[in-house]
Amino acid sequence: MFIRIVDHWAKPGQTEYGRNFIDENGVKMEKWPGFVYRYRLEPTEGPTIITTLTAWDTEEHYKAYRAAQTPYSQVPTYPFERTAHKELVVQASSTGAPA
């Protein structure tokens, strides 16, 4: 399984719009082959950084999804001033974890 974790720093005053932007992308992803799940995460306290954890069957499934989307640099209402990401492959899981 391919996992992508992204931290999103919203532009000032854009946090709620950023949450909606992320959730709308999650709805789009649900229709794509290889999509497994997506979580939107936020810290319990401190500055708001919106984190997403997305799982795909393979990295190729994720890349196919991204290739079919408008690049974020071309989205005039993109609500984030910066993002940072990690891409990982599941090597093992605990009982009860989606595999």
Side-chain angles (χ1 to χ4, degrees):
M1 184 180 317
F2 176 76
I3 305 290
R4 191 158 194 271
I5 301 170
V6 183
D7 291 322
H8 306 78
W9 285 264
K11 293 175 182 174
Q14 295 290 302
T15 301
E16 189 59 34
Y17 177 66
R19 289 179 184 119
N20 292 332
F21 187 91
I22 286 169
D23 292 346
E24 288 172 11
N25 275 345
V27 170
K28 286 186 217 175
M29 287 178 176
E30 290 173 0
K31 298 174 177 105
W32 278 81
F35 175 79
V36 179
Y37 61 83
R38 181 176 196 165
Y39 294 112
R40 177 172 49 87
L41 311 163
E42 294 184 30
T44 56
E45 56 186 65
T48 301
I49 298 171
I50 304 168
T51 300
T52 55
L53 185 150
T54 309
W56 296 83
D57 286 334
T58 67
E59 184 175 3
E60 291 72 26
H61 284 110
Y62 169 74
K63 286 181 177 181
Y65 167 77
R66 280 304 313 146
Q69 306 306 306
T70 301
Y72 293 136
S73 62
Q74 295 177 16
V75 176
T77 58
Y78 190 64
F80 305 110
E81 57 187 31
R82 71 182 174 106
T83 61
H85 71 273
K86 284 186 191 181
E87 295 178 348
L88 308 145
V89 176
V90 174
Q91 301 296 316
S93 62
S94 299
T95 303

